[in-house]
Amino acid sequence: MFYKSVWIVLLITAIPFWADAQDRKLSPIEDLGRQIYFDKSLSDPPGQSCASCHDPAAGWIGEISEINAHAAVYPGAVEARSGNRKPPTAAYATFSPVFHYDATDQLFVGGNFQDGRATGWLLGNPTAEQAQGPFLNPVEQNLKNAERVVELVCQADYGKLFRSIYGQDICNNTINAYNAIAQAIAAFEASAEINAFSSKYDYYLKDSQKYPLNKQELLGLQLFNDESKGNCAACHPSQPDTDGSPPLFTDFTYDNLGTPKNPENTWYGMPKEINPDGDKWIDPGLAGFLKTVPRFAKYANENRGKHKVPTLRNVDKRPNPEFAKSYGHNGAFKSLKEIVHFYNIRDRLPKCENTAKPKPGENCWPAPEVAENVNKDELGDLGLTEEEEWALVAFMKTLSDDWTPPTQ
Ligand code: HEC
Ligand code: HEC
């Protein structure tokens, strides 16, 4: 019950209804959060902000095309160190409910991060808890402690705004100040600037006569929803909720698609003190977090290799057509077409002998990173034609925010 009520409060505060999406005026707390989000002096050495790994122009993922094309994981402020997963989009993350076990469906739901470990149990808000991580993470912004973050925020130009919102004494109490910083960032992340709901598809949902999808996009949408075809909406819901709120393209549950390793992930080469497993490292996904929670540890094995279903909003958004993006928690898939093809024929091809990559001319898929718990019921052999694969890609391209209707 506790989770449900928190979720409702979050939804009420977080949903910027479509009509407001054009009105991006931020409240003082959202504006404060925005300034912190883009501040490159909040890292050691300075130079890295949240936006470095969650850039609006790239659909709120990493800003460097070259990295997206290969390693997909990002170096931190100390460049020789990198994380182990691809930055997911920071947009629409505030809609994820507080992490919980759904006893009826017998699955885990919600939280932030790809393994849900920013649960929302402490602050009632997964995204606020998430926002406390990067500043102190040695493979991200690398500041030495919360005191240092608070000191920098209090000295910044927006320090005055910070005090005016949270009280003149806020800077004297590190714990309260650090929580306030996180809440401000989360408020910005819940704002209509990040969650814009302004894609071509949103316009289409609002008025399909005035803003029609083209033939290929419509075919894609139909395949996306059709349980006996793409079946994508089973995990990436595409229809407005009963209360009319726009679809989020994720149900915030966890699944193992059988995503292969990304052999270019630079985490494999990190020094022992950062990654003790070296190139033998396997991403446990949700299980890694469940193991740390005594009451959930018994569920760890059945959740090995599962990752949070990502939203597909902005999945194709990029600053220019040449800008590379990759897909899956580790960026193993190099294009939308490639991941759709994987969904379509995963179970029809033999596993490659060379687990990392198909050899030239070899018709196979690399082995899954985690072979247990692979979802074989809902995907893997969809029987789609080449044309249908492209239609799904075309539909996903209608999910980029900041779409401008053609002038008649
Ligand atoms: C060096 C790159 C980097 C920086 C800097 C960074 N992030 Fe992230 N972010 C990531 C990665 C990688 C993940 C996924 C980690 C995981 O799942 O274990 C992530 C996850 C997230 C998520 C979770 C999204 C979801 O759907 O669960 C949010 C929200 C987010 N970051 C916001 C921020 C904010 C706010 C900041 C600044 C305070 C920030 N990030 C700084 C790389 C970065
Ligand atoms: C059983 C649930 C499920 C179904 C069905 C499903 N997906 Fe996914 N999808 C996921 C999960 C989980 C991930 C993350 C996988 C990972 O990180 O390894 C994902 C990732 C993706 C991504 C990568 C997004 C990113 O930002 O990296 C795309 C694109 C995608 N799905 C599209 C589709 C399409 C198109 C279909 C239908 C053909 C589909 N999905 C069907 C659960 C599902």
Side-chain angles (χ1 to χ4, degrees), residues 116-279:
R117 70 188 185 281
T119 55
W121 293 338
L122 296 175
L123 302 177
N125 180 338
T127 309
E129 281 177 31
Q130 192 292 322
Q132 300 196 314
F135 294 124
L136 307 183
N137 189 335
V139 300
E140 295 183 332
Q141 281 150 293
N142 190 43
L143 291 169
K144 74 173 182 290
N145 51 33
E147 258 157 53
R148 180 70 183 139
V149 182
V150 170
E151 189 185 8
L152 288 169
V153 165
C154 289
Q155 286 166 3
D157 294 345
Y158 49 81
K160 205 167 155 231
L161 178 60
F162 184 56
R163 278 184 290 271
S164 78
I165 295 173
Y166 291 103
Q168 293 305 317
D169 298 338
I170 185 72
C171 295
N172 304 334
N173 182 323
T174 303
I175 294 177
N176 290 351
Y178 199 55
N179 286 343
I181 290 169
Q183 296 284 8
I185 296 174
F188 169 58
E189 290 178 299
S191 74
E193 179 170 332
I194 291 204
N195 307 326
F197 294 105
S198 59
S199 67
K200 181 175 185 184
Y201 184 62
D202 291 299
Y203 279 82
Y204 166 81
L205 284 178
K206 188 85 183 151
D207 188 341
S208 60
Q209 297 296 317
K210 203 162 164 202
Y211 309 110
L213 298 184
N214 70 31
K215 226 173 126 194
Q216 191 190 26
E217 292 159 351
L218 273 178
L219 173 63
L221 171 60
Q222 187 200 328
L223 296 163
F224 193 93
N225 291 337
D226 187 337
E227 282 170 38
S228 61
K229 288 290 201 167
N231 193 29
C232 315
C235 304
H236 302 283
S238 62
Q239 297 306 307
D241 216 337
T242 42
D243 67 359
S245 53
L248 296 168
F249 287 88
T250 166
D251 60 3
F252 301 109
T253 60
Y254 293 78
D255 243 289
N256 182 5
L257 304 184
T259 304
K261 283 187 164 192
N262 174 5
E264 294 181 283
N265 186 339
T266 42
W267 178 255
Y268 297 126
M270 286 294 116
K272 285 258 172 297
E273 62 278 12
I274 295 184
N275 168 19
D277 299 332
D279 60 5

Side-chain angles (χ1 to χ4, degrees), residues 86 88-89 114 224 230-236 253-257 259 305 307-312 315 326-330 333 336 339-340 343-344 375 378-379 382 384 392 396:
K86 182 194 78 173
T89 177
Q114 289 164 117
F224 193 93
N231 193 29
C232 315
C235 304
H236 302 283
T253 60
Y254 293 78
D255 243 289
N256 182 5
L257 304 184
T259 304
H307 290 264
K308 186 149 56 59
V309 178
T311 179
L312 300 182
V315 78
S326 61
Y327 301 104
H329 64 274
N330 55 14
F333 304 105
L336 287 177
I339 190 170
V340 169
Y343 276 108
N344 188 16
N375 187 327
E378 293 169 297
L379 52 118
L382 304 177
L384 304 175
L392 280 167
M396 287 191 277

Side-chain angles (χ1 to χ4, degrees), residues 36-37 48-54 74-77 83-93 96 111-115 117 127 130-132 134-135 139-141 185 189 252 308:
I36 301 173
Y37 185 97
Q48 187 166 65
S49 71
C50 306
S52 307
C53 299
H54 303 284
Y74 267 68
N84 51 14
R85 294 183 182 137
K86 182 194 78 173
T89 177
Y92 304 99
S96 188
N112 268 194
F113 282 130
Q114 289 164 117
D115 56 11
R117 70 188 185 281
T127 309
Q130 192 292 322
Q132 300 196 314
F135 294 124
V139 300
E140 295 183 332
Q141 281 150 293
I185 296 174
E189 290 178 299
F252 301 109
K308 186 149 56 59

